[in-house]
Amino acid sequence: MAEHTKCLIIGSGPAGYTAAIYASRAGLNPIMYQGPQPGGQLTITNDVENFPGYPDGVQGPEMMQDLEKQARRFGTDVRYGLATKVDFSTSPKKVFIDDTHEIHAEAVIIATGASAKWLGLPSEEKFNGRGVSACAVCDGFFFRNQEVAIVGGGDTAAEEATYLANLCSKVHMIVRRDELRASQIMQKRVTSNPKIEVHWNSETQEILGDDAGVTSAKIKNVKTGEEKTIAVTGFFVAIGHKPNTDIFKGFLDMDEAGYLITEKGSSRTNIEGVFASGDAQDNIYRQAVTAAGSGCMAALDAERWLTEQED
């Protein structure tokens, strides 16, 4: 027997929990499935200092627990489980949880987020949150007046290298090719910045550190074979993100990278009654506060849409 709900939220994190808070307060009695990483990317983030309301900062996992408690307080049915298949061709929409449980939802809010692409080094995982980061805007502040490294050659890497150069004493940019893939204006900003040193034709072999965190990175020139170690306290990976939207292919419009496309100024997708929020549809800002804002939008849009269906 399929379970029926007025509002289903797929995914957690700032977008999902905020949507849950608003949907619950609106009397939609939402069911939320948290996904494979309850709380999203912030659960692997140590210090969060740029989210309003925490004057002394907060640990990422603690912040997500606070948001979950708030959502539960207003009546959200928060459940563990992973949405593995959807069918948005029918009304109500069909969503399958862990390939076993079928839910029929009048409105669906998507908050499945995006996952940072990593290099795949064991040391990268070891020092994640202790010097290794995939977000310069989030964590660059902690490395003021220190030397850091950033991996990548596209616009995101160039933008983040420039951002870090405003905070750090020096930025080592590790680029696998002999040129940047970034736009011409971003290339010029990188190459003309005296605080950014580009290591061309290079790849990271290992990230080194101690109990306190990252201390250096070992890199290798892929053309000459030369290896060298650069002393850095921060190591940023900027090789892209992958939105967690594969299960929606064939139903929802998305761009080439897989980010869900929403109507300008709203969370509405191309399917009536399906709303997208957070990093699953945001390839520009990717911040906790913007994700929370879009979660609010999704809940308000869903509430209004459901009301229209009753008229």
Side-chain angles (χ1 to χ4, degrees):
M1 289 284 293
E3 181 180 8
H4 184 274
T5 183
K6 182 173 285 189
C7 179
L8 175 67
I9 301 171
I10 306 175
S12 45
Y17 287 134
T18 303
I21 291 165
Y22 274 79
S24 296
R25 285 171 54 83
L28 301 186
N29 301 313
I31 295 173
M32 166 190 275
Y33 278 94
Q34 294 177 302
Q37 188 177 16
Q41 294 185 74
L42 279 177
T43 57
I44 57 171
T45 301
N46 285 342
D47 297 308
V48 179
E49 293 192 337
N50 54 4
F51 196 93
Y54 293 97
D56 300 317
V58 64
Q59 296 287 300
E62 180 186 350
M63 178 180 160
M64 290 302 95
Q65 289 170 9
D66 287 344
L67 288 179
E68 180 181 341
K69 288 176 184 176
Q70 193 171 359
R72 288 182 183 275
R73 175 191 164 200
F74 294 116
T76 302
D77 184 352
V78 181
R79 304 176 181 178
Y80 295 108
L82 175 66
T84 49
K85 188 174 74 169
V86 301
D87 182 357
F88 291 158
S89 65
T90 64
S91 184
K93 289 80 183 167
K94 297 178 182 178
V95 178
F96 299 85
I97 306 298
D98 296 324
D99 292 321
T100 56
H101 185 51
E102 183 176 344
I103 293 186
H104 293 179
E106 295 175 41
V108 176
I109 295 174
I110 296 168
T112 49
S115 301
K117 295 179 182 177
W118 298 98
L119 300 175
L121 300 171
S123 53
E124 177 185 51
E125 184 176 351
K126 177 181 178 181
F127 291 107
N128 196 330
R130 294 193 297 127
V132 171
S133 169
C135 181
V137 176
C138 308
D139 300 323
F141 182 81
F142 301 111
F143 300 93
R144 296 184 310 280
N145 303 317
Q146 300 175 45
E147 287 196 30
V148 299
I150 184 165
V151 178
D155 274 332
T156 298
E159 289 171 8
E160 296 206 340
T162 304
Y163 176 85
L164 290 168
N166 291 327
L167 298 170
C168 305
S169 59
K170 185 173 183 178
V171 179
H172 297 269
M173 192 170 185
I174 304 166
V175 181
R176 183 172 175 79
R177 304 196 302 180
D178 57 4
E179 62 181 0
L180 295 173
R181 292 180 289 104
S183 59
Q184 288 297 317
I185 188 170
M186 291 310 304
Q187 290 188 42
K188 185 176 181 181
R189 288 179 185 173
V190 166
T191 55
S192 63
N193 194 318
K195 294 175 72 175
I196 300 176
E197 179 182 349
V198 182
H199 300 266
W200 303 106
N201 301 306
S202 297
E203 62 180 17
T204 306
Q205 297 291 100
E206 189 177 4
I207 302 164
L208 307 171
D210 53 30
D211 291 341
V214 171
T215 56
S216 60
K218 184 178 179 182
I219 64 175
K220 178 181 180 179
N221 187 297
V222 295
K223 285 194 172 181
T224 66
E226 176 190 1
E227 295 184 356
K228 59 182 175 182
T229 300
I230 51 177
V232 294
T233 53
F235 188 92
F236 294 86
V237 181
I239 57 176
H241 286 74
K242 184 184 185 305
N244 304 318
T245 58
D246 285 351
I247 64 168
F248 308 117
K249 288 179 178 176
F251 294 102
L252 299 182
D253 291 343
M254 52 185 74
D255 66 15
E256 293 179 355
Y259 288 93
L260 299 177
I261 297 173
T262 53
E263 290 182 21
K264 188 174 182 180
S266 85
S267 65
R268 292 189 292 271
T269 67
N270 59 296
I271 298 288
E272 285 283 315
V274 179
F275 308 89
S277 62
D279 288 8
Q281 55 84 48
D282 175 16
N283 66 346
I284 299 175
Y285 301 105
R286 294 195 298 266
Q287 299 298 301
V289 69
T290 51
S294 69
C296 165
M297 291 169 60
L300 293 176
D301 286 342
E303 177 194 1
R304 290 166 183 163
W305 183 82
L306 286 166
T307 300
E308 290 170 3
Q309 306 314 300
E310 295 172 357
D311 292 343

